Amino acid sequence: MKLSKEYYLHQDVVFLAKDLLGKVLCTQINQELTVGIIVETEAYFGVEDKASHAFGGRRSQRTKVMYAEGGVSYVYLIYGLHSLFNIVVSAKDVPNAVLIRAVEPIEGLDVIERRRNMKITNKAISSGPGSAAKALGINRDVNGVQLTGDAVWLEDRGIYFTDEQIGVASRVGIAYAQEHALLPLRFFVKGNKYVSKPNLP
DNA sequence: AAACGGATTGGCT
DNA sequence: GCCAATCCGTTTC
């Protein structure tokens, strides 16, 4: 069943980043349905987080959607090449977000193969935030859309993990964030082959 | 007005 | 393993 608007309003972004493991990310883009199980996430805790685009309350054309009420997408372009998909959560004007770093494809496998130009047996097909977004057809065209709509949404299909099955590590690629760089805000499913960097702290 | 660098990836060495 | 690709917000001149 589709996750409700209320789900995304939780104030604790760290709780949500962990709880989102096992939730199912669905997209229907150009009449093509593709679905993947979320297996790796990172939490970004709003204006206090030196790694967040919203650090210090920064607002720009790019980041304004982070300040919306939870339950919308935040998609931005990194290195001029890759679209990264985030779920905006918590109350309006609280720019918390969860980055989706990897998914396990379960539906629309042929579509995913075509988008990625590689075989479904290649684990790189949806491992890493740029790859996961591309596999599901996510780009800036769906920036700011409601996740309760019919283009990009999440479902609970009864997949849950115990604490023993969940790994915790520091976030990737944010060395510039000083004392926030090593915080344990990356969550992943232990042993899942799509997890992008399972062995980093 | 211009330079800098990034929540990355994939192809080539 | 190294490195180019290449857009855009922020910083600096």
Side-chain angles (χ1 to χ4, degrees):
Chain A
M1 49 176 283
K2 189 180 285 193
L3 296 185
S4 67
K5 183 76 173 175
E6 287 68 38
Y7 177 81
Y8 302 101
L9 301 182
H10 202 289
Q11 63 181 1
D12 185 350
V13 64
V14 179
F15 166 84
L16 283 173
K18 187 173 169 184
D19 194 68
L20 281 163
L21 295 176
K23 296 297 185 292
V24 171
L25 177 57
C26 312
T27 63
Q28 181 133 34
I29 291 166
N30 297 330
Q31 281 85 49
E32 295 181 313
L33 176 69
T34 47
V35 180
I37 304 167
I38 296 170
V39 297
E40 182 179 356
T41 63
E42 283 179 2
Y44 286 82
F45 57 100
V47 301
E48 306 292 315
D49 183 354
K50 290 191 174 183
S52 171
H53 294 163
F55 175 65
R58 286 195 303 247
R59 290 186 191 237
S60 64
Q61 196 61 31
R62 180 176 71 157
T63 62
K64 64 180 183 182
V65 68
M66 296 184 78
Y67 293 84
E69 187 174 68
V72 303
S73 74
Y74 169 46
V75 183
Y76 72 94
L77 196 65
I78 186 67
Y79 297 114
L81 300 171
H82 310 293
S83 297
L84 270 55
F85 172 70
N86 298 252
I87 297 170
V88 175
V89 302
S90 307
K92 177 172 161 54
D93 294 323
V94 179
N96 291 342
V98 178
L99 172 69
I100 303 304
R101 288 193 56 88
V103 301
E104 176 177 336
I106 54 172
E107 289 183 34
L109 305 185
D110 52 337
V111 176
I112 290 173
E113 285 190 328
R114 190 183 72 240
R115 285 178 182 148
R116 294 282 293 131
N117 191 31
M118 60 177 76
K119 303 302 290 183
I120 202 70
T121 50
N122 185 345
K123 70 177 184 180
I125 199 164
S126 57
S127 177
S131 301
K134 192 173 181 185
L136 296 177
I138 293 170
N139 59 32
R140 284 178 298 163
D141 292 346
V142 294
N143 183 39
V145 302
Q146 292 290 336
L147 300 177
T148 46
D150 57 8
V152 182
W153 69 95
L154 280 84
E155 295 181 7
D156 184 336
R157 296 195 184 180
I159 302 166
Y160 307 110
F161 300 105
T162 64
D163 282 350
E164 287 70 36
Q165 294 173 289
I166 296 175
V168 183
S170 57
R171 295 174 293 180
V172 177
I174 54 149
Y176 59 87
Q178 304 169 37
E179 74 271 23
H180 293 159
L182 296 178
L183 294 176
L185 296 178
R186 183 162 69 96
F187 300 93
F188 58 93
V189 178
K190 287 182 186 172
N192 186 282
K193 74 172 185 175
Y194 297 97
V195 173
S196 64
K197 307 201 171 170
N199 300 318
L200 293 187

